[in-house]
Amino acid sequence: YISTFVQKTDRITMNAVDVEAGTGSGFVWDTNGDVVTNYHVIRGAKAAKVAVTNAETGTIDRYDAKLVGFNPDKDVAVLKIDSPKKLVPIPVGDSAKLRVGQTTLAIGNPFGLDHSLSVGVVSGLGREVRSPSGRPITNVIQTDAAINPGNSGGALLDSSGRLIGMNTAIFSPSGASAGIGFAIPVDTLKYQVDTIIRDGKVTRSA
């Protein structure tokens, strides 16, 4: 569960204060405290906090997060938290072998309802959505698992609980889930995240 903050001036004291700007989702990538989310979740934020659920006890720990880097062209960002407890990375799957009809599980925080799970199938493959920078993101996974505002940056899993994508966008004339959600495939995420962790950014080729 990711909360982002912007700085505003308190009208009484005239001091700068952090005000919550929005919420989103994310997942633990490795044991070093790297957390993956969408770039649009943290865009424009001055600070972020990450709430992590302990895999063994179910308790929730909250941490201040530092921005490692991001790539707006793929709508990917990496945050880092300093946890004294052992972090359990998400099992990473393979999106190249996905087939239409396979079961999908979307985990996230729709409308701020933390750790919500919805179930669906892979509805389509090879879709294209527009990134925050305006560039296309290709090979996107389409799913009918309910994805709503707040699900952005959350994990899309297969029936074995392995990461196959990151929930990123919905097609919705009303603003709520219309059964058409899109996720960046994990095979794209692997390169993007590993490069951001190593270099702090992804250099776009000409």
Side-chain angles (χ1 to χ4, degrees):
Y1 189 105
I2 296 173
S3 304
T4 59
F5 300 84
V6 295
Q7 274 196 350
K8 293 190 176 181
T9 302
D10 186 295
R11 292 188 212 178
I12 298 174
T13 65
M14 299 307 291
N15 292 329
V17 294
D18 287 339
V19 178
E20 186 168 319
T23 60
S25 306
F27 46 88
V28 176
W29 185 258
D30 54 32
T31 56
N32 296 323
D34 292 304
V35 175
V36 179
T37 187
N38 280 136
Y39 165 70
H40 76 256
V41 169
I42 57 95
R43 178 176 52 186
K46 294 297 182 183
K49 290 184 181 293
V50 176
V52 180
T53 302
N54 187 290
E56 297 177 354
T57 65
T59 57
I60 297 176
D61 299 306
R62 290 176 172 80
Y63 304 97
D64 291 325
K66 295 180 181 178
L67 180 63
V68 176
F70 55 83
N71 183 7
D73 292 344
K74 297 298 183 183
D75 203 2
V76 177
V78 179
L79 304 172
K80 183 178 281 290
I81 59 175
D82 185 13
S83 171
K85 300 178 182 178
K86 181 182 178 182
L87 295 172
V88 180
I90 193 166
V92 176
D94 183 357
S95 53
K97 299 177 182 178
L98 289 177
R99 296 292 180 266
V100 172
Q102 282 185 235
T103 298
T104 58
L105 302 101
I107 298 179
N109 309 293
F111 304 109
L113 300 170
D114 58 0
H115 305 93
S116 295
L117 171 72
S118 57
V119 180
V121 298
V122 174
S123 304
L125 295 165
R127 304 302 195 209
E128 185 176 292
V129 298
R130 196 161 295 279
S131 72
S133 68
R135 294 177 66 87
I137 305 173
T138 57
N139 295 319
V140 170
I141 303 163
Q142 180 186 332
T143 180
D144 66 348
I147 296 173
N148 286 287
N151 272 112
S152 291
L156 187 70
L157 310 175
D158 62 17
S159 57
S160 298
R162 293 171 299 203
L163 181 73
I164 55 173
M166 177 170 63
N167 302 319
T168 295
I170 60 174
F171 175 79
S172 172
S174 67
S177 176
I180 301 177
F182 301 103
I184 298 171
V186 70
D187 290 352
T188 299
L189 283 178
K190 290 174 187 175
Y191 171 78
Q192 294 292 320
V193 172
D194 289 344
T195 304
I196 290 170
I197 291 172
R198 186 185 70 234
D199 301 333
K201 62 181 180 179
V202 178
T203 303
R204 189 169 74 200
S205 59

